[in-house]
Amino acid sequence: MEIVISNQALKWFKEDIGLTSGDTLRFYTQIYGNSPVQKGYSLAFTVEEPVKVAVSSQMDGILFYIEADDLWFFDGHDLHVEYDEKEDELEYKYVKP
């Protein structure tokens, strides 16, 4: 599994969330919502230090990661994070390798 952050999404994280080099952002599972890979669960993010990283990607000194406890959510899919300019929001795509 891998995490792919588009350049536009990285720009959004920097400008809207205020991330800078040295920061760490965790993608985690929420118990409500829906996603294409898990019914009744959705994906969220928070800025926090990692504990047990299962998958990570680093861009401009920012670590994007998923903890081992949340790996089940992805069901073998890669996570692609993109930015939808029209909706002015992030878009998560789950891609089977």
Side-chain angles (χ1 to χ4, degrees), residues 5 9 18 27 29 42 44 47 50 52 57 61-62 69 72 76-77 89 92:
I5 309 291
F27 294 103
T29 305
S42 62
V47 177
K52 190 175 179 185
S57 178
I62 302 167
D69 290 347
W72 64 270
H77 292 78
E89 63 184 24
Y92 300 124

Side-chain angles (χ1 to χ4, degrees), residues 12 14 16 28 30 38 40 48 58 61 66 75 89 92:
W12 185 89
K14 288 177 169 182
D16 285 32
Y28 68 94
Q30 295 188 107
Q38 299 291 342
E48 67 181 40
Q58 192 162 351
I66 297 165
D75 191 33
E89 63 184 24
Y92 300 124

Side-chain angles (χ1 to χ4, degrees), residues 64-84:
F64 297 90
Y65 70 96
I66 297 165
E67 291 281 349
D69 290 347
D70 290 317
L71 202 53
W72 64 270
F73 172 83
F74 298 92
D75 191 33
H77 292 78
D78 292 338
L79 173 63
H80 290 230
V81 182
E82 300 179 4
Y83 173 71
D84 183 334

Side-chain angles (χ1 to χ4, degrees), residues 3-20 25 27 43 45 47 57-60 62-64 79-86 88-93:
I3 301 170
V4 178
I5 309 291
S6 73
N7 289 329
Q8 295 84 0
L10 177 64
K11 181 180 176 187
W12 185 89
F13 280 117
K14 288 177 169 182
E15 292 176 357
D16 285 32
I17 306 301
L19 294 182
T20 59
L25 184 132
F27 294 103
L43 195 63
F45 64 84
V47 177
S57 178
Q58 192 162 351
M59 291 184 72
D60 284 359
I62 302 167
L63 180 70
F64 297 90
L79 173 63
H80 290 230
V81 182
E82 300 179 4
Y83 173 71
D84 183 334
E85 189 172 328
K86 184 177 171 184
D88 188 29
E89 63 184 24
L90 293 178
E91 181 179 11
Y92 300 124
K93 294 186 177 179

Side-chain angles (χ1 to χ4, degrees), residues 19-58:
L19 294 182
T20 59
S21 182
D23 286 337
T24 57
L25 184 132
R26 174 185 177 193
F27 294 103
Y28 68 94
T29 305
Q30 295 188 107
I31 299 177
Y32 59 88
N34 276 313
S35 73
V37 290
Q38 299 291 342
K39 290 184 179 182
Y41 294 89
S42 62
L43 195 63
F45 64 84
T46 185
V47 177
E48 67 181 40
E49 292 297 316
V51 176
K52 190 175 179 185
V53 174
V55 180
S56 67
S57 178
Q58 192 162 351

